[in-house]
Amino acid sequence: MPSTKPRDVQVCPIGTDTTVMRSRSWTRLRFEIEYALSKGTTANSYVIKADKTALFDPPGETFTEIYLQALQQRFDLNSIDYVILGHVNPNRAATLKALLEIAPQITFVCSNPGAINLRGALENPDLQILVMRGEETLDLGKGHNLQFIPTPNPRYPDELCTYDPQTEILYTDKLFGAHICGDQIGDEGWEVFNEDRRYYFDCLMAPHARQIETALDKLSEFPARMYATGHGPIVRYGLIELTKGYRQWCQQQTSLDTTVALLYASAYGNTATLAQAIARGITKAGVAVESINCEFADPEEIRTAVEKAGGFLIGSPTLGGHAPTPIQVALGIVLSTATNNKLAAVFGSFGWSGEAVDLIEGKLKDAGYRFGFESIRVKFKPDDKTLQMCEEAGTDFAQALKKAKKVRLQSVPATTTEQAVGRVVGSLCVLTAKQGDVSSAMLASWVSQASFSPPGLTIAVAKDRAVESLTHSGNKFVLNILKEGNYIGLMKHFLKPFTPGQDRFTGVASQPAENGCAILSDALAYLECAVKSRMEVGDHWLVYATVEQGKVLNNEGITAVHHRKSANHY
């Protein structure tokens, strides 16, 4: 059940002269793919009060009122000298405007792209701004001589990290975070956060793996004992392991031999949200994404990415009935660079008419490109179902790129080892899952009982399955066990290809279980399950779940079993 706790601000000292203020939302904050685990989030802000006072990263407008109240209760706002911004987005503007009204003496500290964004967001050309390019320092006194590290990536081109040598705290903004809300400020028992941190990385960092590796190289020069993150628990106890994890996850992306160039621009953040969901679908299918924000990319960067990619996507808002200039430039580069045997796709959010998507689609069709999915047009902000559809579209795009390679792989005779492994049999089941308005299902045969007390089982879920995003810790599902002699219809139904966002249950007799997921009427038995943990195992996730309740629907039937001759495919 969603938490009914009200939003609040948790305040705690974390170092010499240093305080964290965690604005907490116990429920899902926004409809963006990074929040899809629905575990709430924290927007972490920090205060260093030395001879001078610096405030880090005030939260977005969701928290403006409660944050400023908590800040005024503990600090004299007239004594705040600097507001340091790891990144600037329009959502933060309301809080910054309110803060400026109370404390007009503030000087903002940010990167050069951040300064441009800040002036635009606050519609004030006369702001006091210190631009940090990486060599400057800011002395707050008492040993807090701050150093700044620009760590840009396409989603956050203004990203700026800050290091305090006095406390050895590295303020990492978007890096090393997680969207999870709780009372725990630090990461004691850090392993419990692994799944959330990995999901956060996959959503936000994986499409920019090359730039994240560069950022990690820069940050390694600073001896940090703590990562003061923008979201979730502060990283201290798991710092070494998480840093190694980021390196490993980046390497997984940059070593892939198939890549997609994802070109986009975003007027109000909505097209960027779509791009993020599509990128998540592509990367989970084992294809790398080279994400490029065309507003900040030079033509040569776009040309190089498109040339080496197996396919490309173009995302555009509609401004005045047209695509913005950076997208028009990118489209011209694509048409002059990319051979028409590359796979293409188009997407975009719009406010009124959405001509940009039609224009780009038409140009690409005239040039003879094949499309990996039907063009996606979203009016205003995407909702949960739209994001799921985008993720599935991204997965379809990646699978289309991999299809020829997969066919070649399956045409190779199985080795004796693969033949032997293939003799491991499994019961035929259909896993059904639902979270909010999003539902999905898959045929499953890699299922095994794993524990007696509590009764538990494991299921192997391929990373590129649509239902994978609904099998994280805390999620619920129903395992429908199929009946021998009566499974062909259900097996064919759930094996057929579905279009992105298509209802998996149309034409299938079912009823809701107590956990909200679907019980198939023709199943032999069903089990209502709750995911407790999962482990990455090559190209699958191994999900461990406990059984909360179940029922045999046909006492005379026997379980359908899946027999294979090879272990190199299902």
Side-chain angles (χ1 to χ4, degrees):
M1 293 292 292
S3 174
T4 56
K5 290 184 180 180
R7 290 174 178 168
D8 62 4
V9 180
Q10 183 186 32
V11 183
C12 184
I14 59 169
T16 304
D17 308 318
T18 307
T19 302
V20 64
M21 300 183 64
R22 305 172 81 226
S23 299
R24 299 190 291 186
S25 173
W26 300 87
T27 56
R28 180 171 182 171
L29 189 63
R30 284 193 289 276
F31 284 117
E32 295 182 19
I33 198 74
E34 65 192 85
Y35 297 94
L37 298 189
S38 296
K39 295 183 179 180
T41 193
T42 69
N44 300 336
S45 177
Y46 303 89
V47 181
I48 299 175
K49 185 173 177 55
D51 295 333
K52 294 185 178 181
T53 300
L55 174 65
F56 288 77
D57 295 319
E61 60 185 338
T62 303
F63 299 110
T64 298
E65 185 175 346
I66 60 172
Y67 172 78
L68 291 180
Q69 286 177 354
L71 188 65
Q72 286 177 298
Q73 287 171 3
R74 293 164 177 85
F75 301 96
D76 176 8
L77 269 58
N78 291 316
S79 71
I80 296 176
D81 299 282
Y82 304 103
V83 171
I84 299 171
L85 300 173
H87 74 282
V88 178
N89 60 31
N91 179 56
R92 189 171 275 175
T95 307
L96 298 180
K97 287 179 180 177
L99 188 56
L100 269 176
E101 290 179 4
I102 305 170
Q105 79 284 350
I106 285 171
T107 295
F108 291 99
V109 181
C110 55
S111 65
N112 190 51
I116 296 170
N117 292 344
L118 185 63
R119 290 189 178 97
L122 299 187
E123 299 175 340
N124 184 347
D126 300 320
L127 294 172
Q128 299 178 70
I129 300 177
L130 279 179
V131 173
M132 297 298 174
R133 295 178 171 85
E135 298 178 356
E136 305 86 352
T137 61
L138 182 63
D139 192 353
L140 303 179
K142 298 184 179 179
H144 301 279
N145 190 20
L146 305 183
Q147 299 169 262
F148 299 90
I149 313 103
T151 53
N153 63 65
R155 183 68 196 271
Y156 302 104
D158 59 342
E159 180 84 4
L160 184 71
C161 296
T162 306
Y163 178 70
D164 182 359
Q166 168 64 271
T167 56
E168 296 184 329
I169 294 176
L170 185 62
Y171 297 86
T172 60
D173 192 49
K174 288 293 184 180
L175 291 165
F176 305 115
H179 288 305
I180 183 168
C181 186
D183 292 324
Q184 189 172 327
I185 291 173
D187 65 341
E188 299 89 343
W190 55 270
E191 290 179 322
V192 302
F193 302 116
N194 281 351
E195 183 180 336
D196 300 284
R197 285 170 168 168
R198 174 60 187 274
Y199 181 80
Y200 179 93
F201 174 92
D202 287 344
C203 289
L204 284 182
M205 308 299 163
H208 322 301
R210 188 166 48 82
Q211 292 89 349
I212 301 304
E213 282 185 327
T214 300
L216 294 175
D217 289 341
K218 291 182 179 180
L219 297 181
S220 67
E221 299 176 11
F222 299 87
R225 68 174 184 87
M226 183 186 299
Y227 292 156
T229 58
H231 302 288
I234 293 171
V235 182
R236 180 180 178 186
Y237 298 94
L239 186 149
I240 294 173
E241 290 79 7
L242 182 58
T243 306
K244 288 180 179 177
Y246 262 57
R247 289 280 189 189
Q248 177 186 341
W249 303 334
C250 285
Q251 177 63 28
Q252 288 175 358
Q253 294 299 315
T254 56
S255 64
L256 292 171
D257 57 3
T258 305
T259 63
V260 170
L262 176 55
L263 316 175
Y264 73 93
S266 190
Y268 302 102
N270 297 326
T271 300
T273 297
L274 302 180
Q276 185 178 328
I278 293 169
R280 166 68 178 146
I282 294 171
T283 56
K284 70 185 279 187
V287 171
V289 173
E290 181 75 13
S291 182
I292 296 177
N293 186 336
C294 296
E295 296 176 75
F296 300 95
D298 62 65
E300 191 56 37
E301 180 185 0
I302 296 172
R303 183 175 291 105
T304 301
V306 171
E307 281 180 347
K308 74 176 183 179
F312 62 88
L313 304 96
I314 302 178
S316 177
T318 299
L319 302 176
H322 301 281
T325 300
I327 289 296
Q328 294 182 35
V329 172
L331 177 60
I333 294 171
V334 166
L335 292 173
S336 64
T337 301
T339 56
N340 64 8
N341 63 347
K342 292 183 186 286
L343 203 61
V346 186
F347 64 95
S349 170
F350 60 93
W352 304 107
S353 49
E355 295 95 341
V357 171
D358 297 330
L359 182 150
I360 298 166
E361 179 187 72
K363 294 281 188 183
L364 295 176
K365 282 184 176 179
D366 290 344
Y369 290 99
R370 296 177 299 116
F371 284 72
F373 54 78
E374 290 187 12
S375 296
I376 295 174
R377 301 168 178 83
V378 177
K379 193 166 187 178
F380 299 114
K381 290 182 178 292
D383 59 16
D384 225 359
K385 294 183 74 171
T386 300
L387 293 179
Q388 177 72 6
M389 181 265 290
C390 288
E391 183 176 323
E392 291 177 16
T395 298
D396 284 357
F397 193 93
Q399 289 171 336
L401 286 178
K402 294 167 62 179
K403 187 175 181 180
K405 187 180 297 185
K406 187 174 183 180
V407 169
R408 288 195 300 272
L409 176 65
Q410 291 189 3
S411 67
V412 177
T415 65
T416 55
T417 300
E418 289 170 338
Q419 292 174 24
V421 175
R423 295 311 190 267
V424 176
V425 299
S427 55
L428 272 175
C429 306
V430 174
L431 184 154
T432 61
K434 189 175 191 295
Q435 180 178 318
D437 294 330
V438 175
S439 61
S440 192
M442 75 168 195
L443 189 71
S445 59
W446 295 4
V447 180
S448 179
Q449 184 170 348
S451 58
F452 285 124
S453 181
L457 50 85
T458 59
I459 303 174
V461 181
K463 289 180 177 178
D464 60 359
R465 291 294 185 95
V467 78
E468 179 274 334
S469 59
L470 301 179
T471 60
H472 287 269
S473 297
N475 287 141
K476 308 280 188 176
F477 66 84
V478 166
L479 188 70
N480 295 273
I481 304 161
L482 302 187
K483 176 178 173 291
E484 182 63 41
N486 187 37
Y487 68 86
I488 298 297
L490 286 173
M491 184 178 73
K492 286 184 176 179
H493 176 84
F494 288 104
L495 279 177
K496 72 181 182 182
F498 292 91
T499 59
Q502 184 178 352
D503 186 353
R504 266 67 172 168
F505 301 101
T506 300
V508 176
S510 66
Q511 59 183 347
E514 286 192 19
N515 65 12
C517 306
I519 298 171
L520 305 184
S521 301
D522 290 335
L524 172 68
Y526 71 90
L527 303 170
E528 295 190 38
C529 305
V531 179
K532 296 302 178 184
S533 63
R534 62 187 219 160
M535 179 173 67
E536 189 174 9
V537 285
D539 53 6
H540 283 65
W541 290 101
L542 187 65
V543 174
Y544 171 69
T546 54
V547 179
E548 297 182 327
Q549 59 183 326
K551 185 178 181 181
V552 176
L553 301 177
N554 186 331
N555 286 300
E556 306 302 320
I558 60 173
T559 303
V561 177
H562 181 43
H563 295 275
R564 297 182 300 153
K565 293 185 178 180
S566 172
N568 63 11
H569 56 85
Y570 290 117

